Amino acid sequence: MFNQIPEVKVIPEIVISVNGVLWAIFCILCIKNFSKLLKSDSYKQTHGIILLSTVSTQSIVIGLSTIFGTTNNLKMINQGFFYLGILFYFVSLSIIVKRYLATYKVMDIKQEWYNTNCVIHGAMSITGLAGITSGVIGKKIIIAIWFWVLVCFFLVEFIEIYRAVMRAKYLGFRKGLFQYHVSQWTRNFTFGMFSAFTIKLPVHFLSTSFLVIHKALVKYGVVVVILLLMIEIILYIKDNFTLKYFCLRNQNRHTENQYLEGR
């Protein structure tokens, strides 16, 4: 709305202001729960969902920079949000790493590696994008963030592929790979954010070999994101609307049988 319908720019301004209030409430809850996770054994149940603390914070940076610009006063506010988001990232990551180091010997990767763990690279992708949009960090630091994301992306997705192989082996393709779960949408976000960050990257700081990787990611990244989105929509329809249709059909058949028995 802000970019395409400037006549109603007051609406995006209201939305980002409301987002800021909601974020403040969410931030208080995050800090309280981080404290609990660090002081008890409940950290053994954590996964990538806690990285939404970073995602939400950096989304505020992107929203403020896009809608209100990058004036000096706003830049100071964005810097505060940006570095708080990074703090949330490394606190969250340390808890997740601690969890898997403590449980890896008895961990069943088929069940205990979560879809949301892909936010490990997605949260840093939105951090890099926030840095580009707001201008609060230098371009060399942005490149360093991109390298971090690249390493995390290949590491996490390698584990994801291994988990997929194990699930297909022990649960079958249908139940192991093609069963809908709401957490799967995080993969669309993380891949999409990595693609968006890569597209906006200041490429003149990259070496020739990494320019090739960058070009491939820009060329095929969007295609992968669209394919993942299509797969997720199909799984959602299959597991929701199809199931409801058969339940309704069986219910109608049961009602009809009761009616015939009554006659």
Side-chain angles (χ1 to χ4, degrees):
M1 290 179 70
F2 182 82
N3 288 327
Q4 303 300 325
I5 318 173
E7 295 81 9
V8 293
K9 67 177 183 178
V10 67
I11 296 176
E13 289 174 354
I14 292 170
V15 170
I16 191 63
S17 300
V18 172
N19 282 352
V21 174
L22 295 174
W23 172 87
I25 298 168
F26 178 65
C27 184
I28 293 168
L29 294 173
C30 281
I31 292 170
K32 286 182 178 179
N33 286 301
F34 277 138
S35 178
K36 290 178 183 178
L37 289 172
L38 291 168
K39 291 178 181 178
S40 69
D41 285 344
S42 56
Y43 75 89
K44 292 181 180 179
Q45 305 301 319
T46 56
H47 49 87
I49 200 73
I50 61 174
L51 284 159
L52 292 182
S53 55
T54 295
V55 173
S56 62
T57 305
Q58 302 300 6
S59 71
I60 295 292
V61 176
I62 293 172
L64 287 174
S65 303
T66 303
I67 293 170
F68 294 111
T70 53
T71 61
N72 288 334
N73 290 335
L74 189 59
K75 193 170 183 178
M76 291 178 63
I77 294 171
N78 278 334
Q79 279 180 329
F81 278 118
F82 182 82
Y83 289 112
L84 179 61
I86 289 180
L87 176 62
F88 281 154
Y89 180 84
F90 285 106
V91 170
S92 301
L93 185 62
S94 66
I95 294 171
I96 294 168
V97 171
K98 183 181 177 183
R99 176 257 167 96
Y100 284 110
L101 286 177
T103 60
Y104 79 95
K105 289 183 179 179
V106 294
M107 184 181 72
D108 180 2
I109 196 167
K110 301 189 299 299
Q111 305 296 339
E112 296 180 55
W113 180 267
Y114 294 86
N115 294 316
T116 52
N117 286 340
C118 61
V119 188
I120 289 171
H121 56 79
M124 196 49 85
S125 288
I126 195 173
T127 297
L129 192 61
I132 293 170
T133 306
S134 63
V136 299
I137 54 174
K139 292 180 179 178
K140 289 185 178 180
I141 299 176
I142 290 169
I143 294 295
I145 291 173
W146 186 75
F147 279 120
W148 174 274
V149 174
L150 195 65
V151 171
C152 288
F153 181 86
F154 283 110
L155 179 61
V156 170
E157 297 311 317
F158 174 80
I159 297 172
E160 287 270 278
I161 292 169
Y162 176 70
R163 182 187 70 147
V165 171
M166 290 297 101
R167 286 181 65 86
K169 181 179 179 180
Y170 290 100
L171 302 173
F173 279 94
R174 185 176 177 277
K175 189 175 179 181
L177 300 180
F178 297 107
Q179 192 156 345
Y180 175 78
H181 191 276
V182 67
S183 64
Q184 292 163 356
W185 290 103
T186 55
R187 196 169 290 111
N188 295 94
F189 157 73
T190 55
F191 277 61
M193 195 54 62
F194 182 38
S195 181
F197 178 32
T198 302
I199 289 169
K200 293 282 187 179
L201 203 67
V203 293
H204 51 278
F205 285 97
L206 293 176
S207 63
T208 305
S209 56
F210 281 104
L211 276 173
V212 174
I213 296 173
H214 176 271
K215 187 176 180 180
L217 290 171
V218 170
K219 186 175 181 180
Y220 300 108
V222 176
V223 177
V224 172
V225 171
I226 292 172
L227 284 174
L228 285 173
L229 181 61
M230 295 298 294
I231 291 169
E232 201 56 42
I233 290 170
I234 291 168
L235 290 177
Y236 177 80
I237 292 171
K238 180 180 74 68
D239 277 29
N240 286 272
F241 292 95
T242 306
L243 181 62
K244 288 177 183 178
Y245 169 76
F246 281 112
C247 287
L248 183 62
R249 187 176 178 184
N250 289 334
Q251 184 180 355
N252 290 339
R253 187 176 296 169
H254 179 66
T255 304
E256 184 180 347
N257 289 340
Q258 283 183 321
Y259 172 72
L260 292 171
E261 288 172 5
R263 290 185 66 186

